[in-house]
Amino acid sequence: MMKIQTQSCVVKGKYDVAVVEQEVEYQGTGTLVKITRGGICGSDLHYYQEGKVGSFQVRQPMVLGHEVIGEVVASDTARLAVGQKVALNPSKPCGLCKYCLANQQNQCTHMRFFGSAMYFPHVDGAFTQYKVVDSAQCIAFDADRDEKVMVFAEPLAVAIHAAKQPGEVNGKRVFVSGVGPIGCLLVAALKALGASEIVCADLSPRCLDIAREMGASICMHASNDDFSRYQQEKGYFDIAFEVSGHPLSLLRCLEVTRAKGTVVQVGMGGSFPDFPLMLLIAKELNLLGSFRFVEEFDIAVAWLSDGTINPLPLLSAEFNNQQLEQALAFAGDKRLAAKVQLVF
């Protein structure tokens, strides 16, 4: 057995975070990883700003973070040599439920996902110097790859999963409403998958500029620009992706998608009491949800490794892990930040 001291970034409640000393025990099962870099996600910000995500309230100190990479210290499998660079898949499905057995692990009824207050005791995340994980969660990549790039594996996996929900996108005309980090990565994924036209909408000129760098054909201001040309003849786009979680954004997606087209809901938002049901019915639209990822995590690591996608236009700042609160505060200022990374 190996015991190691680690510094962990924990949340205790609303605007209550700290870097604390903890002890990690490695007993020879799984893989011990030295974390080198992590990306701050929207859920990390919710735990910091609200002390909860949805109805999942922080009830004990919990380590944040699920977008992380690192290097192997010790492992129970020859596949992972000491020093091997790895991206950590934050999903740990049970492997036994009907969804796992059907290769739909993102729907696992007993999922243990890094940095989640869904269960009590909570599932700790990976914003820590050392972490023991299931070896299957370690996806190897070459040591010469840029760590700033590789840490985008988890959010890119979310985007690739969403891009694949409607089926074939090659040659299709696509609309993306909401181009924060996931929306911009979705734009890049859609371009990589062969979409012929990608039109984006957002309220932030800064986000639209990044979307353009990531491969968008046309970028439009969600409030100030005229979308009427895309609403004529029962809509223009084959597929629309709603990524902001705002009801008006979903309404626009329904309006600009052609009859018999598909709308994919990616953004997480509140309720929609005035859902335009007749628009969905009359145009015979397909409405799909998209949640996390399955094999797309491995695809994301491969695409980042071989340069299929360059996520660096999204990188706004880097902070040392000791600067946790400053990093979260900066990441929460959407006038300035897209993605913020912690360096361990």
Side-chain angles (χ1 to χ4, degrees):
M1 183 175 70
M2 188 188 308
K3 291 186 177 182
I4 299 178
Q5 293 299 118
T6 187
Q7 293 182 346
S8 301
C9 301
V10 303
V11 60
K12 303 174 185 178
K14 185 176 180 179
Y15 291 108
D16 187 1
V17 294
V19 180
V20 303
E21 291 283 337
Q22 294 182 331
E23 187 174 80
V24 173
E25 287 189 3
Y26 179 65
Q27 300 180 354
T29 301
T31 297
L32 174 63
V33 179
K34 180 182 180 182
I35 306 299
T36 56
R37 190 175 287 261
I40 293 175
C41 174
S43 64
D44 299 315
L45 290 174
H46 280 297
Y47 281 125
Y48 170 61
Q49 295 169 346
E50 302 165 24
K52 62 180 182 178
V53 168
S55 60
F56 303 140
Q57 187 88 32
V58 174
R59 292 184 283 162
Q60 65 178 143
M62 180 183 75
V63 181
L64 290 167
H66 59 264
E67 302 177 10
V68 292
I69 60 172
E71 60 185 50
V72 173
V73 177
S75 181
D76 62 359
T77 174
R79 178 178 67 87
L80 299 169
V82 173
Q84 173 67 59
K85 295 290 185 73
V86 290
L88 296 190
N89 186 333
S91 301
K92 188 178 179 182
C94 72
L96 299 173
C97 70
K98 63 182 180 181
Y99 298 106
C100 286
L101 295 176
N103 197 34
Q104 299 168 348
Q105 291 91 338
N106 62 321
Q107 298 297 334
C108 174
T109 55
H110 298 90
M111 174 67 76
R112 308 280 295 178
F113 196 87
F114 286 176
S116 171
M118 178 178 179
Y119 299 112
F120 189 85
H122 303 330
V123 181
D124 279 329
F127 284 173
T128 185
Q129 291 174 306
Y130 294 91
K131 187 171 180 65
V132 178
V133 300
D134 190 307
S135 296
Q137 293 176 267
C138 297
I139 309 303
F141 63 88
D142 291 343
D144 62 351
R145 298 300 182 256
D146 188 346
E147 291 196 344
K148 294 177 185 178
V149 169
M150 299 311 298
V151 79
F152 278 90
E154 195 275 345
L156 177 57
V158 172
I160 296 171
H161 183 75
K164 291 190 169 188
Q165 284 297 92
E168 184 62 65
V169 299
N170 184 46
K172 299 294 178 66
R173 297 180 297 198
V174 179
F175 180 63
V176 179
S177 184
V179 283
I182 296 296
C184 283
L185 289 168
L186 176 58
V187 167
L190 290 165
K191 184 176 182 182
L193 291 168
S196 64
E197 183 178 2
I198 306 169
V199 177
C200 297
D202 201 285
L203 293 170
S204 165
R206 180 184 60 81
C207 290
L208 291 170
D209 286 343
I210 297 172
R212 192 173 289 108
E213 282 192 74
M214 301 289 282
S217 311
I218 297 173
C219 292
M220 304 178 68
H221 192 280
S223 289
N224 299 340
D225 287 338
D226 182 8
F227 291 81
S228 61
R229 67 184 182 277
Y230 296 122
Q231 297 171 9
Q232 296 171 10
E233 297 182 343
K234 295 190 175 183
Y236 175 82
F237 297 101
D238 302 301
I239 308 164
F241 295 85
E242 199 299 300
V243 199
S244 74
H246 195 283
L248 291 178
S249 175
L250 177 57
L251 175 60
R252 174 162 289 153
C253 286
L254 295 169
E255 290 173 338
V256 301
T257 303
R258 65 167 177 81
K260 295 283 190 175
T262 299
V263 176
V264 182
Q265 183 64 43
V266 185
M268 296 183 183
S271 61
F272 197 164
D274 299 317
F275 185 86
L277 196 58
M278 274 307 300
L279 192 57
L280 184 76
I281 293 170
K283 291 172 68 174
E284 297 184 322
L285 296 171
N286 301 294
L287 180 60
L288 303 173
S290 184
F291 184 63
R292 291 183 182 160
F293 45 83
V294 186
E295 73 282 352
E296 291 88 2
F297 191 89
D298 296 49
I299 297 171
V301 173
W303 282 10
L304 292 170
S305 291
D306 67 13
T308 297
I309 283 179
N310 173 24
L312 291 184
L314 284 164
L315 181 57
S316 302
E318 302 169 76
F319 291 83
N320 184 277
N321 65 291
Q322 292 290 330
Q323 300 173 292
L324 173 63
E325 190 151 17
Q326 298 99 304
L328 289 166
F330 182 84
D333 188 343
K334 294 309 176 186
R335 298 168 302 172
L336 303 173
K339 290 299 283 188
V340 172
Q341 295 180 4
L342 288 175
V343 181
F344 290 83

